[in-house]
Amino acid sequence: MADPVRRTDGTGLVAIDPWLEPYAERLRNRYQHYLHFRAPIDEHGGLMGSISQGHHYFGLNRREREKQPGVWYREWAPGAKRVKLIGDFNGWNRNVEAADNPGAAGEAVKDEWGVWSVFFPDALFATRLTHGSRLKVLVHGGDDVVMERIPAYIKRVVQDPPDSPNFVGVYWQPSTPFKWKYPLPKRKGGLRIYEAHVGMAQEEGRVGTFKEFTDKILPRIANLHYNAIQLMAIQEHPYYGSFGYHVSSFFAASSRFGTPAELKELIDTAHSLGLVVIMDLVHSHAVKNINEGLNRFDGTEHQYFHAPPRGDHVAWDSKCFDYAKYEVQRFLLSNVRVPATSTSTSRASGASLLAASRAAGPLGRLIRSSGKIAVASCPTSPSRSTRNRLVAERLASTSTPLPSIRKAGMRAFWNSPSRSSADSSRAWARLFSRVMSRSPPAIHSAFPSPPAITIPQSLIEM
């Protein structure tokens, strides 16, 4: 039997299961579609290059301007007419004022790529824009509606006042970085996953916290001989009843449960107990809320999402991302980035969402299910890894909504370690046969090119 990974046209699965032969042309088309969108990513460092480092450039980051230290704020909002950061640091001043007026601080300037930026030098703002400062961004949208929004890359969001429907961003820059104590556990055999929701894990009729989960729940899970936990609802979401599937702020851990440091402590403690940590990441859709989320951020209906009706997820009453846009790809890939380190332990920054998403190889970053991407440590034998990666990449490239099939695919993968290699291959082949039996959108030989952008050199070098 031919080695499927040596077929470079996307038909490697046909060598495993001849029943897929009638779908060979569809396999080739989908693979070419995938390669078309992968090409501009590879031109700038691949998946671990600038395409997945947006969180170091957008949002609020400590950097320099003309050798002066301070904080840069950047926001992609191509359709907006005006963007101004407001908050505690400037008295929530919304007015347009002269540049020499301190109240005007926060007015951003737009570049040719639709990115707004403003710099806050330490000389003026070191004691004003500080860790814990509350803020929002005032956006005069393309529809001429002026609204206070939450920055897309914000790392911390809280309800202000507590338990109110008003969410506000927080500048999160602790003076002392979190110190990790325990390495990622080395797993032997298959995963035994305990799925949990931090807020619902306590017996009392209230929302639980990261600290309570760390102290009370983790020891019980370890004592039951599980070796992994899968956490739901970590990303910030305004509606608690959505179980975390209506995400509003993708880089912020839900403040209902505690602080980013407390989430990191949970993960570190889990590692000390021999538990790897998996996190649900919702990247197939987002909450349609305007006040808290990304919908109509720049005053248009087609910035992060498809315009209606394609952009409306009827089943979830949410919005569907437009994956063809480069900045949407950057936003989502940055959200799942696993930092490269010289040791076996990957340490995440920001809201510590990435700290919960530990991957030992590319397979762990590609397995998808309905409405989520579960990223885990997945050491496998080379033959199985390459075979499964091939299927996972095809699943990832399809634009047809296949929630039940993707969910079944994840189950098939996690169950495969208990099967023989041949059984695992047949399970994947049957799964992909079901995928290809669905009628995909028409795929043309000439695909539209993504808009040209300039990758800042400072971002490429990070």
Side-chain angles (χ1 to χ4, degrees):
M1 180 181 295
D3 187 344
V5 301
R6 293 184 179 178
R7 294 196 178 194
T8 59
D9 63 349
T11 61
L13 288 174
V14 177
I16 299 174
D17 189 348
W19 284 12
L20 293 176
E21 184 62 45
Y23 307 104
E25 190 58 30
R26 289 189 182 182
L27 286 167
R28 293 188 186 95
N29 286 342
R30 287 190 183 275
Y31 188 55
Q32 289 303 312
H33 187 70
Y34 161 75
L35 291 178
H36 168 77
F37 283 98
R38 178 67 183 263
I41 295 176
D42 289 338
E43 290 175 4
H44 299 286
L47 288 174
M48 297 303 286
S50 63
I51 191 67
S52 63
Q53 298 193 56
H55 53 300
H56 291 311
Y57 185 73
F58 294 96
L60 293 122
N61 290 285
R62 286 204 57 80
R63 292 290 184 271
E64 293 184 353
R65 185 182 67 176
E66 299 176 353
K67 297 184 179 181
Q68 297 299 314
V71 177
W72 275 103
Y73 169 64
R74 294 184 178 94
E75 193 76 60
W76 177 61
K81 297 180 179 179
R82 178 189 175 218
V83 169
K84 178 179 181 178
L85 196 68
I86 59 176
D88 298 335
F89 68 95
N90 65 357
W92 296 90
N93 191 321
R94 298 163 53 108
N95 299 329
V96 178
E97 303 177 68
D100 58 353
N101 188 318
E107 289 286 351
V109 178
K110 183 181 179 181
D111 68 15
E112 58 185 312
W113 310 114
V115 175
W116 297 79
S117 61
V118 58
F119 183 71
F120 300 94
D122 285 350
L124 295 176
F125 292 94
T127 60
R128 296 165 62 184
L129 184 56
T130 58
H131 172 65
S133 295
R134 305 197 175 199
L135 51 84
K136 285 189 175 182
V137 56
L138 188 70
V139 180
H140 183 164
D143 54 2
D144 282 327
V145 175
V146 179
M147 291 190 65
E148 293 181 2
R149 307 299 299 265
I150 295 175
Y153 280 82
I154 197 73
K155 299 172 183 176
R156 174 77 167 159
V157 177
V158 298
Q159 291 170 265
D160 184 26
D163 300 323
S164 76
N166 180 53
F167 286 76
V168 62
V170 175
Y171 176 52
W172 195 257
Q173 189 70 36
S175 57
T176 304
F178 183 85
K179 293 183 179 180
W180 298 89
K181 299 183 290 290
Y182 301 99
L184 180 68
K186 293 183 178 180
R187 180 174 56 82
K188 296 181 180 179
L191 284 170
R192 297 181 296 279
I193 304 173
Y194 188 100
E195 186 175 23
H197 186 291
V198 171
M200 301 179 187
Q202 304 301 316
E203 294 186 1
E204 297 87 350
R206 59 177 177 78
V207 178
T209 66
F210 291 133
K211 190 175 188 312
E212 290 172 326
F213 192 92
T214 301
D215 295 340
K216 301 178 181 180
I217 309 301
L218 284 181
R220 297 173 61 181
I221 295 174
N223 288 339
L224 290 171
H225 302 293
Y226 288 92
N227 60 10
I229 58 172
Q230 180 171 331
L231 296 179
M232 301 170 59
I234 297 299
Q235 294 170 299
E236 190 59 85
H237 50 288
Y239 178 44
Y240 186 66
S242 73
F243 288 84
Y245 289 104
H246 274 181
V247 176
S248 53
S249 296
F250 285 75
F251 290 84
S254 180
S255 60
R256 289 184 181 91
F257 310 139
T259 67
E262 289 168 340
L263 173 57
K264 292 179 180 181
E265 183 65 35
L266 185 159
I267 296 167
D268 206 29
T269 302
H271 288 170
S272 74
L273 297 172
L275 298 167
V276 297
V277 181
I278 308 168
M279 192 195 94
D280 284 359
L281 288 180
V282 186
H283 281 182
S284 63
H285 65 134
V287 70
K288 72 176 185 180
N289 296 26
I290 293 177
N291 289 331
E292 302 90 2
L294 299 172
N295 191 18
R296 301 184 67 91
F297 190 95
D298 68 350
T300 71
E301 293 187 298
H302 50 78
Q303 182 187 355
Y304 282 96
F305 311 111
H306 290 288
R310 184 179 180 184
D312 296 330
H313 196 314
V314 178
W316 275 92
D317 192 29
S318 56
K319 304 297 292 185
C320 298
F321 284 104
D322 183 353
Y323 300 123
K325 290 186 176 179
Y326 195 92
E327 288 302 336
V328 174
Q329 295 172 22
R330 194 204 306 270
F331 180 81
L332 296 175
L333 288 171
S334 298
N335 195 229
V336 299
R337 180 182 173 88
V338 179
T341 65
S342 59
T343 68
S344 61
T345 305
S346 296
R347 298 311 187 194
S349 59
S352 76
L353 293 183
L354 301 180
S357 306
R358 306 300 175 84
L363 178 58
R365 298 189 293 273
L366 291 172
I367 298 301
R368 298 166 183 254
S369 66
S370 176
K372 66 174 97 171
I373 302 174
V375 185
S377 176
C378 308
T380 56
S381 62
S383 59
R384 179 176 293 172
S385 175
T386 52
R387 183 164 55 248
N388 287 348
R389 183 175 67 250
L390 182 66
V391 179
E393 289 181 344
R394 304 307 184 279
L395 289 176
S397 67
T398 180
S399 58
T400 306
L402 299 168
S404 61
I405 292 180
R406 290 183 180 182
K407 193 168 185 178
M410 189 177 176
R411 286 197 301 268
F413 170 73
W414 292 124
N415 291 335
S416 65
S418 63
R419 304 177 179 182
S420 69
S421 178
D423 286 342
S424 177
S425 299
R426 283 194 292 269
W428 276 110
R430 286 195 299 271
L431 169 67
F432 198 58
S433 178
R434 291 172 59 195
V435 173
M436 300 317 301
S437 67
R438 298 284 293 274
S439 298
I443 299 178
H444 305 285
S445 57
F447 299 105
S449 298
I453 69 165
T454 297
I455 307 294
Q457 188 64 28
S458 60
L459 183 57
I460 296 175
E461 294 172 351
M462 290 176 185

